[in-house]
Amino acid sequence: MHPPYLPQKDNDKAAREAYLKSQQDLYLYDYEHLPPLVLMDKVPDAEHFSSKYIAERVLATSELLPNTLAMKARAFLDPLDELKDYEDFFPVLPLPEVSKVYQTDDSFGEQRLAGVNPMVLALLKQDDARGKLLKEGLKANNGDPPLLDLDKEIKAGNIYVADYTGKDSRYLGPSLVRGGGYAKGRKYLPKPLAFFWWQSLGIRDRGKLVPIAIQLSENRKDIYTPFEKNPLDWLFAKLCVQVADSNHHEMSSHLCRTHFVMEPIAIGTARQLAKNHPLSLLLRPHFRFMLTNNHLGQERLINRGGSVDQLLAGTLPESMELVKDAYKDWNLKDFAFPEEVKNRGMGDDKRLPHYPYRDDGMLVWNAIHTFVSGYLNHFYQKPQDVIDDTELQAWAKELSDQKEGGKVKGMPSQFSSVDELIEIITTIIFICGPQHSAVNFAQYDYMAFVANMPLAAYWMPDARTEPAVTMTENQLLQFLPPHNQTAEQLQTLFVLSAYRYDRLGYYDKSFKELYRQKLEDIFGDSENEAIVAMVMQFQQNLNMAEQKIDANNQKRVVVYPFLKPSLILNSISI
């Protein structure tokens, strides 16, 4: 293994060029499978899962078979008899804690801030037309005496909205879904608009997010509130939000905005950066197994008859349209973690002091940013080093090319300073590691217990019916997934969240398997001892971040573990 060199400082330029030519023959973009997204044409052998990965993953899911056999032995009815029956799907696997509290408003609100998909909630601004809708909808149902002075609360920045109607420019998709089918009927995707109030308890970090109103669709003018005479009506409205959120999570936050947006960057890295380029050495552990994993998902999850087709609310083409719509407004700069949070109006920790996803995420982001800054400044000690790096410039040019390249929106076509490169690389590492881990590993805790977060609705009242249907438990059971769909959702999400291959910032495994050398062997010559020290400091900073997260969790009613560095992967390897 050659030591790391920028191309302008490497005497063996011919070897680099020959290597890149061979890579460009192997790593090809696919523009036809899911346009406008760019995917991999055929996965090279070098990207395949290792035998160790396969063995460990099989072992990690070994409890699934006895759990499935025990479920079948109980011979459940279809549909189920009562809501509590959903707990019986866990004879061997651990029953998620959310099962104890999922019907409560506290749990419903907390999931917007620290659940599987904490990327939808947004501040309701004073000039937002949805504020008028909220005020009109609550006129006759705001409690007695009134719960809120809405004008005052909106002005103070205490009202938040989760919009699944398809009208919010960030979330266009749900308007496209009419609903798919399954063996015994059809599925539905509700399109709700949910409003929340941050209720401060007068202490800096104490308070909670309170759901105050849910409109189920633009065709239904009535708005549900916590003051419904029949509590099951309010539970039904909240479950409609959960179905919409689960579809947004799987197709947008998870599949599109982690797996698929990183795929062309991994391809371009393999094509344009020599294997001993410092940036290649830095990024490869964060792309480890991703291309194979994504390709496997195309074959088994988002194929006709696969889990997305069977379990999500839309037909397979409709669900894939959700992916495409999620991509329309995505770009590398606006979806850098701090920017994405700020763009939703969620960045102010004084106005919204409790937002675990933001607070823990910033600790991890800062640790990554510090490491990336030190690493890149070590190799690019002056602007001319960046400008003269022909491989870096080819990498940027190809990935930013919107016609024949990676079509990565927000990627600059060239780099002239190390500072701009630092921001881009920090974003890439964060999306591949912390971002994906947060949306992937929370699936079991919140979605495996299907009564909390179904992937589809199986019955909906006629939206033209006035007044709204009064819910019964039997109707809720018709709305929720039946036995076979429930079992399949549990099994799928367990497989997706049961195994962790490695740990953020701990590169020895990845480097050893890629190059059959230890980290110290690659960066261990006297010229690059500083890199070894940087990696060790990165690990220390991540451990410090974890201590702060553990301290934060001591004060939280519900623990948020999904951005603890020890539980974050380097790559999208599952």
Side-chain angles (χ1 to χ4, degrees), residues 415-426:
F415 287 100
S416 58
S417 74
V418 70
D419 291 340
E420 187 176 24
L421 181 60
I422 287 167
E423 298 305 316
I424 292 293
I425 300 305
T426 301

Side-chain angles (χ1 to χ4, degrees), residues 197 210 302 409:
W197 167 51
V210 180
I302 58 175
K409 293 180 290 183

Side-chain angles (χ1 to χ4, degrees), residues 264-285:
I265 300 177
I267 298 168
T269 300
R271 287 171 53 84
Q272 296 298 343
L273 299 180
K275 58 185 175 183
N276 67 321
H277 191 290
L279 188 54
S280 176
L281 290 169
L282 176 62
L283 287 179
R284 285 191 177 208

Side-chain angles (χ1 to χ4, degrees), residues 104-263:
T104 67
D105 287 358
D106 284 356
S107 176
F108 180 66
E110 183 68 12
Q111 287 181 57
R112 313 282 75 80
L113 299 170
V116 71
N117 191 26
M119 283 81 74
V120 175
L121 194 71
L123 176 69
L124 185 71
K125 298 179 180 179
Q126 292 187 62
D127 58 352
D128 194 318
R130 291 172 296 187
K132 182 179 179 182
L133 174 68
L134 174 63
K135 286 183 277 188
E136 290 178 351
L138 286 184
K139 275 182 181 177
N141 203 353
N142 192 12
D144 187 16
L147 172 67
L148 294 173
D149 181 338
L150 282 173
D151 288 321
K152 177 183 177 183
E153 297 298 331
I154 292 174
K155 184 177 181 180
N158 292 331
I159 303 298
Y160 296 84
V161 59
D163 191 338
Y164 306 93
T165 63
K167 293 182 178 180
D168 188 323
S169 63
R170 290 187 300 270
Y171 316 114
L172 298 175
S175 62
L176 304 174
V177 177
R178 296 174 62 87
Y182 78 113
K184 296 186 178 181
R186 65 166 294 189
K187 298 175 290 185
Y188 301 83
L189 179 61
K191 301 164 188 177
L193 182 63
F195 296 94
F196 300 83
W197 167 51
W198 174 254
Q199 181 183 21
S200 174
L201 299 182
I203 305 173
R204 189 217 172 284
D205 59 348
R206 295 291 186 270
K208 60 183 179 180
L209 194 68
V210 180
I212 56 174
I214 297 171
Q215 182 191 40
L216 288 192
S217 77
E218 60 182 334
N219 295 324
R220 183 182 290 281
K221 300 303 181 185
D222 56 303
I223 290 183
Y224 290 80
T225 76
F227 302 105
E228 299 299 325
K229 293 180 180 178
N230 176 15
L232 293 183
D233 291 350
W234 178 234
L235 176 58
F236 167 69
K238 290 189 291 183
L239 287 172
C240 286
V241 173
Q242 295 293 81
V243 173
D245 196 52
S246 68
N247 281 260
H248 180 277
H249 165 270
E250 294 295 3
M251 295 292 97
S252 175
S253 300
H254 188 186
L255 183 60
C256 176
R257 292 176 176 170
T258 63
H259 286 260
F260 282 169
V261 297
M262 289 294 104
E263 186 156 337

Side-chain angles (χ1 to χ4, degrees), residues 67 70-72 74 76 80-93 95 99 449 483 486 490:
N67 192 81
M71 275 196 298
K72 290 181 178 179
R74 296 188 180 190
F76 289 114
L80 290 80
D81 290 328
E82 57 182 351
L83 291 173
K84 192 170 178 58
D85 288 346
Y86 284 96
E87 298 178 12
D88 295 335
F89 285 81
F90 299 85
V92 176
L93 296 176
L95 179 65
S99 63
F449 179 70
H483 177 272
T486 297
L490 164 59

